[in-house]
Amino acid sequence: MSVLPAQGRCAFASLHPAVSFAFFAGVLLLCMVLAHPLLQIEAFCLAALCYVSFRGRAAWRFVGGLAVLLAVVALVSPLFNAQGETVLFRWWAGRPYTLEALALGASTGLMLAAMMLWFASYHLVMTSDAFTFLFARALPGLSTVLVMVLRLVPTYRRRIEKLAMARAGIGQGPSEGATLAARVRSAGTVLSALSADALEGAIVTADSMVARGYGLPGRTHFALFRWERRDSVVLMVMAGLLTAAVVALVLGDTAVRYFPAIVVPPVGADVLVGAFCYGAFLLLPTAINLGGRLAWRCSLSSM
Amino acid sequence: MALFAFEHVTFRYPGAARAALCGVDLAVEPGQFVLMCGPSGCGKTTLLRHFKPTLAPHGAREGRILFEGEPLEEVPVREQVARVGFVMQDPDAQLVTDSVWHELAFVLESLGCDQRTMRLRVAEMASYFGIQHWFHRSVDTLSGGQKQLLNLASVMVARPEVLVLDEPTAQLDPLAASDFLAAVHKINRELGTTVIMSEHRLEEAYALADRVVVMDAGRIVIDGAPRVVAEELFRSESPIKAALPVPVRVCATVEGSRAAASASQATASASPKGNGQADAFASETPAAVGRLPLTVREGRAWLAAEVAAHPPTRRALPDDGAADAPPAPMAVELEDVWLRYERDGADVLKGTTLAVPEGSLFAVVGGNGTGKSTMLRALCGIARSYRGKITVLGHRLRDWKRTDLFHGGVALLPQDPQSLMAKKTVRDDLEEMLAHRGLSADQRAAALAEVVTAAEIEPLLNAHPFDLSGGELQRAALAKVLLSKPRLLLLDEPTKGLDAAFKERLASILRQLAARGATVLMVSHDVEFCASYADACALFFDGGIVATDDPRPFFASNSFYTTAASRMSRGLFDNAITAEDVVSLCLS
């Protein structure tokens, strides 16, 4: 699932899953709540930086794509939202295209793009191994089901390809020029063969599970991940920055109003401190990744 | 005290007419490597499943099964799980989780081991089986052989004292199968784990076992050391003897016919007592049993001694070159065909060039992942080549209309015959091929009857495809393919999972087809099968054909990638590539 290029670049991914999960949970929550343009721009830039620190050059295409998405969301939003008093121009049947709606669109687009970037990084770090490890203890039954489903999806996909190819090899596949009905019938045959096959396989899997003692009381969970001192340190730093950011931003005024006119509250010292802590928090994975690379370089040069 | 003792165990499936196991008495001592063999349906699987009560089939059982002197049912489940490991046939369906490490830890999780123990045991097992390189991989990226090795390792991680394996190599190719057997042998030899394994492919497993149990119709018919059992199988003319390793077969046949010859001489010249032959055989037996070679190495030593003791008149078989045969038209021609599946992927076919004459049984041999199956797919247009010329049955492949190509033209029997069967009964599956063709009911019945006879599947018509054995399934799928009356039949690993008897039947069906003018092109790992039955062989390597020749010169000139008979007789005989060849030269 994970496509991390090299372990060296991704020191953050080698942290304990609980730490990385806590980070992403915090980030996504704050991203959704904080609507101040300063904080949003900050979040988007740092999200892009974080993703780049994971993927390297391969990340730029995705970041570029999101910039386009951002622009589209911003530009399109006034078409559906005619509120606001600063009319830039009028279009179809005299509908106003307003600056306020444009600004709101940009804000929405920024949030969307930032969230997508964070999710992309999340996806790289939280592999299925990490995820099931985290939830195995809380939901033992569910985590086994999850692990089995994760295994069955690729199995069935491969199986369908195999069945379809086998049928094509005897001229029973959907040939070119076949009618829709024939195609549907052919797909139906493949699916029914797959379900018979799946049931048969399920019996073997069940046998294999019982033979290996599934269902005995007192099941434990193998932990692929170990809690290191580093994890405690990162977790504490994270908690500290997060608390500071939340306290400062709650004290300061970050509520932006767009309609009828844009009102951005003046940026006071508290908001500045909050933004700084927030930024430092968001910068953590990037810093850890860069630190990891630096550590590698130093250790290499000292050899 | 025996580790496992079966005392007069009789077992009957609910509603079955006859018992699946009849009065089975079997005592397995600690550390033994027991090989169970017998024709399919003889009750091997039923017996093996009784070693593990959680897997034992439902039905009526009589008799006792003792584990270390205690009735097996009374052993707590937790102890059974830990002490008796069970590996089944299907490498894929046995896997429960999505990643290798989790699969290894699964049984330990069930047993409730603590973190430290699990870490150590998993690490130990991964290192022992060489799994550490793919420890973090997802299971669906593994090959069949790796999956089965993982299944073995994830059972061994509980440190069982008994390992029960039910045809574990049936779905593996020969190379993966021999790796797997080597791992099982290592476990038995290095850890002293008791192994009870059923197999139908005896060539390799036979020499590893120190006890062989032969079953037939739910009974144990022979039980003893491999050499003794082999001797007994030959004496009783059992059909299983065809599955024995080549050196055993050669030696037993040669010594048997020498004994028969000397006995008939004795009867003719000396006493007309009538039981002379049996006497002579009996007196020959102890010597033969001691010398019966199980491996190629022993076979070479035996053959050298045999040739010195009874110098044969001929040392070489003629190199039956087909120079005098008139050049037949080609059914298949590939010229510099290049193919890859993804735009940026690696080339799978790299300038493949091949010509297959009409009416021949042509075999392409070669290792895994070299592109053999892809070549077959390219031939019927399922995979598209991007360069080169493919001619099938006289026309360029791209000029064929799909419907014409697969109707009376080409048919591909895939590696897994199961994937062709999509209906509830074999009959429905066969009829599917005849639907939408505008045939009358009589024509359909006639076409059906013809293939049913050819593939010998009359008794299987109303069975569900999933209930068939490997060999039966292969024949049913073959019948389905034959319904399109192909002039070019493409077979992908047709002998995978088949026992010796089924292979012979398959070969005779293919021969009949070729005799009627159809061309059979098969890709296979099974060099023994190709050497015995093919008209021509080609070696496939690295996306192309390296060499093509008649089987005799082809296998006689190879010294690694060749048949056991050729390896056994190298330097002593020339051009002997099958057990029959070696026997005929020995007796000449």
Side-chain angles (χ1 to χ4, degrees):
Chain A
M1 196 174 285
S2 169
V3 281
L4 291 180
Q7 213 65 46
R9 189 185 277 154
C10 309
F12 187 73
S14 66
L15 285 172
H16 195 274
V19 178
S20 28
F21 188 78
F23 173 80
F24 284 112
V27 164
L28 292 174
L29 191 73
L30 286 186
C31 256
M32 276 189 287
V33 173
L34 298 174
H36 195 283
L38 173 70
L39 299 175
Q40 283 187 324
I41 292 172
E42 187 182 17
F44 176 76
C45 293
L46 293 179
L49 206 60
C50 170
Y51 189 63
V52 169
S53 81
F54 278 115
R55 294 288 310 268
R57 215 166 284 168
W60 285 113
R61 260 181 74 176
F62 184 62
V63 175
L66 284 178
V68 172
L69 174 89
L70 198 165
V72 169
V73 170
L75 292 174
V76 165
S77 132
L79 301 183
F80 300 96
N81 187 349
Q83 295 182 70
E85 56 191 17
T86 324
V87 178
L88 294 178
F89 57 88
R90 292 188 179 270
W91 57 293
W92 182 60
R95 276 176 72 92
Y97 189 99
T98 64
L99 178 69
E100 286 77 12
L102 187 68
L104 180 64
S107 163
T108 314
L110 265 177
M111 185 171 90
L112 209 65
M115 298 268 275
M116 285 176 80
L117 277 168
W118 287 121
F119 262 116
S121 300
Y122 169 88
H123 208 67
L124 292 176
V125 175
M126 295 300 287
T127 58
S128 65
D129 284 353
F131 188 79
T132 48
F133 164 75
L134 270 186
F135 293 96
R137 244 162 290 205
L139 311 158
L142 191 68
S143 84
T144 309
V145 170
L146 184 72
V147 163
M148 290 177 72
V149 168
L150 282 172
R151 148 136 187 69
L152 290 182
V153 170
T155 308
Y156 287 171
R157 200 182 48 216
R158 214 177 35 236
R159 194 69 206 164
I160 288 180
E161 279 167 17
K162 202 166 154 190
L163 287 167
M165 194 170 275
R167 295 181 66 76
I170 54 169
Q172 293 284 320
S175 51
E176 56 254 55
T179 59
L180 183 67
R183 277 169 196 275
V184 169
R185 204 166 40 228
S186 153
T189 315
V190 168
L191 281 185
S192 88
L194 177 77
S195 61
D197 205 75
L199 286 176
E200 192 73 10
I203 296 173
V204 177
T205 309
D207 274 350
S208 162
M209 289 170 79
V210 170
R212 287 189 277 154
Y214 188 73
L216 285 174
R219 190 175 172 79
T220 52
H221 290 280
F222 181 71
L224 197 57
F225 306 94
R226 258 192 314 200
W227 189 269
E228 291 178 33
R229 224 171 49 131
R230 187 169 74 113
D231 295 308
S232 315
V233 173
V234 172
L235 195 64
M236 275 192 302
V237 172
M238 249 166 60
L241 287 175
L242 200 61
T243 320
V246 169
V247 169
L249 293 173
V250 167
L251 289 178
D253 186 9
T254 58
V256 183
R257 264 193 315 136
Y258 289 94
F259 303 111
I262 302 173
V263 181
V264 179
V267 177
D270 37 13
V271 173
L272 270 181
V273 171
F276 177 79
C277 291
Y278 183 47
F281 174 68
L282 296 182
L283 205 56
L284 268 176
T286 316
I288 291 172
N289 283 342
L290 288 180
R293 291 172 85 174
L294 210 64
W296 189 80
R297 223 167 259 192
C298 291
S299 68
L300 188 73
S301 60
S302 66
M303 269 200 296
Chain B
M1 181 173 44
L3 187 63
F4 257 107
F6 280 63
E7 293 178 353
H8 310 297
V9 173
T10 298
F11 177 81
R12 191 188 296 273
Y13 283 100
R18 63 179 186 85
L21 297 176
C22 311
V24 169
D25 277 306
L26 180 72
V28 179
E29 301 298 329
Q32 272 187 337
F33 190 133
V34 183
L35 180 67
M36 314 272 310
C37 50
S40 42
C42 69
K44 288 181 301 223
T45 300
T46 311
L47 178 61
L48 289 182
R49 285 187 160 245
H50 275 99
F51 279 89
K52 197 135 170 128
T54 45
L55 296 184
H58 294 286
R61 200 191 89 198
E62 291 158 33
R64 293 202 302 165
I65 304 173
L66 302 178
F67 181 53
E68 292 188 328
E70 193 185 341
L72 186 57
E73 298 76 31
E74 286 165 27
V75 179
V77 176
R78 194 174 289 273
E79 206 173 310
Q80 283 173 28
V81 167
R83 295 177 68 184
V84 183
F86 200 99
V87 178
M88 289 170 275
Q89 194 184 99
D90 189 337
D92 236 322
Q94 277 182 82
L95 297 169
V96 178
T97 65
D98 64 328
S99 44
V100 172
W101 64 266
H102 204 169
E103 197 65 29
L104 280 174
F106 191 83
V107 67
L108 300 176
E109 291 182 335
S110 300
L111 293 172
C113 291
D114 60 59
Q115 213 53 244
R116 227 184 77 81
T117 320
M118 278 203 269
R119 236 166 229 291
L120 178 63
R121 294 263 196 106
V122 165
E124 211 183 21
M125 253 321 111
S127 313
Y128 189 75
F129 285 104
I131 289 175
Q132 67 272 39
H133 305 294
W134 29 284
F135 186 66
H136 286 282
R137 295 242 305 259
S138 150
V139 290
D140 59 277
T141 62
L142 305 180
S143 70
Q146 284 174 321
K147 281 179 185 162
Q148 196 63 321
L149 200 63
L150 175 59
N151 283 318
L152 178 65
S154 45
V155 160
M156 286 308 295
V157 77
R159 300 189 182 159
E161 289 149 55
V162 186
L163 183 60
V164 185
L165 305 112
D166 186 11
E167 301 208 346
T169 66
Q171 297 189 18
L172 305 183
D173 64 70
L175 271 178
S178 79
D179 285 350
F180 184 85
L181 289 177
V184 173
H185 188 217
K186 183 175 160 184
I187 288 169
N188 174 253
R189 204 182 49 216
E190 292 182 0
L191 308 174
T193 308
T194 311
V195 174
I196 301 148
M197 176 166 80
S198 74
E199 264 289 352
H200 57 241
R201 189 158 50 185
L202 301 178
E203 284 88 347
E204 287 196 52
Y206 204 79
L208 305 179
D210 41 37
R211 177 172 170 193
V212 177
V213 173
V214 182
M215 291 188 68
D216 197 12
R219 293 173 195 281
I220 291 181
V221 288
I222 314 174
D223 180 357
R227 287 172 220 273
V228 179
V229 171
E231 187 67 26
E232 189 61 39
L233 286 173
F234 270 88
R235 201 207 309 274
S236 60
E237 289 294 323
S238 160
I240 302 164
K241 71 176 189 189
L244 290 175
V246 169
V248 179
R249 261 149 59 197
V250 171
C251 174
T253 317
V254 169
E255 307 233 331
S257 59
R258 286 210 196 291
S262 66
S264 62
Q265 240 173 25
T267 12
S269 61
S271 61
K273 267 198 288 184
N275 59 352
Q277 185 167 342
D279 275 353
F281 204 95
S283 64
E284 285 282 322
T285 306
V289 167
R291 287 189 292 152
L292 216 49
L294 297 182
T295 61
V296 167
R297 187 179 63 165
E298 291 169 11
R300 285 184 66 83
W302 171 84
L303 191 61
E306 170 69 23
V307 166
H310 306 274
T313 52
R314 287 189 302 150
R315 289 289 188 107
L317 285 170
D319 190 346
D320 47 16
D324 50 343
M330 293 300 164
V332 171
E333 273 175 288
L334 286 104
E335 264 179 59
D336 300 321
V337 173
W338 290 74
L339 185 149
R340 60 173 169 246
Y341 287 107
E342 284 151 26
R343 195 187 60 173
D344 300 323
D347 285 313
V348 184
L349 297 184
K350 304 175 184 171
T352 311
T353 302
L354 176 73
V356 179
E358 258 175 36
S360 63
L361 214 167
F362 197 99
V364 174
V365 296
N368 259 349
T370 47
K372 301 195 303 289
S373 302
T374 301
M375 183 181 75
L376 292 189
R377 284 181 202 146
L379 275 177
C380 53
I382 307 180
R384 297 265 162 113
S385 59
Y386 68 91
R387 197 188 304 155
K389 193 172 145 190
I390 301 179
T391 313
V392 174
L393 299 169
H395 298 282
R396 292 288 296 270
L397 185 61
R398 61 161 182 244
D399 297 337
W400 277 97
K401 266 179 65 187
R402 268 301 169 89
T403 39
D404 298 339
L405 182 65
F406 288 111
H407 191 194
V410 183
L412 168 64
L413 181 62
Q415 208 175 106
D416 178 8
Q418 188 89 72
S419 47
L420 277 187
M421 312 307 273
K423 304 283 180 188
K424 288 200 173 57
T425 65
V426 173
R427 187 190 297 278
D428 287 353
D429 251 313
L430 295 181
E431 277 169 358
E432 185 199 2
M433 291 292 284
L434 297 169
H436 313 295
R437 282 235 196 114
L439 298 176
S440 72
D442 285 348
Q443 282 172 313
R444 286 210 297 270
L448 200 67
E450 192 188 330
V451 296
V452 165
T453 322
E456 306 169 28
I457 52 164
E458 181 68 49
L460 313 174
L461 275 179
N462 294 319
H464 193 284
F466 281 112
D467 294 335
L468 306 184
S469 75
E472 291 168 342
L473 191 62
Q474 182 71 268
R475 278 183 294 146
L478 185 63
K480 183 168 183 179
V481 165
L482 290 182
L483 277 174
S484 69
K485 293 198 177 2
R487 281 186 288 146
L488 172 62
L489 180 59
L490 307 172
L491 305 172
D492 197 349
E493 297 290 350
T495 60
K496 187 169 161 185
L498 300 194
D499 60 25
F502 273 129
K503 280 188 200 176
E504 255 170 65
R505 285 167 92 170
L506 178 69
S508 80
I509 295 170
L510 296 182
R511 279 249 161 269
Q512 282 171 24
L513 280 176
R516 270 185 264 152
T519 311
V520 178
L521 172 59
M522 62 175 179
V523 303
S524 179
H525 284 104
D526 190 341
V527 287
E528 311 286 339
F529 184 80
C530 296
S532 302
Y533 303 109
D535 296 321
C537 291
L539 178 63
F540 202 94
F541 177 72
D542 192 26
I545 299 282
V546 179
T548 308
D549 213 332
D550 290 333
R552 198 174 295 286
F554 182 85
F555 287 113
S557 66
N558 288 358
S559 46
F560 297 95
Y561 203 81
T562 184
T563 60
S566 166
R567 279 178 276 137
M568 179 177 154
S569 63
R570 179 160 308 277
L572 297 164
F573 295 146
D574 283 334
N575 284 333
I577 59 166
T578 63
E580 291 72 35
D581 291 349
V582 180
V583 169
S584 75
L585 287 176
C586 276
L587 295 176
S588 65

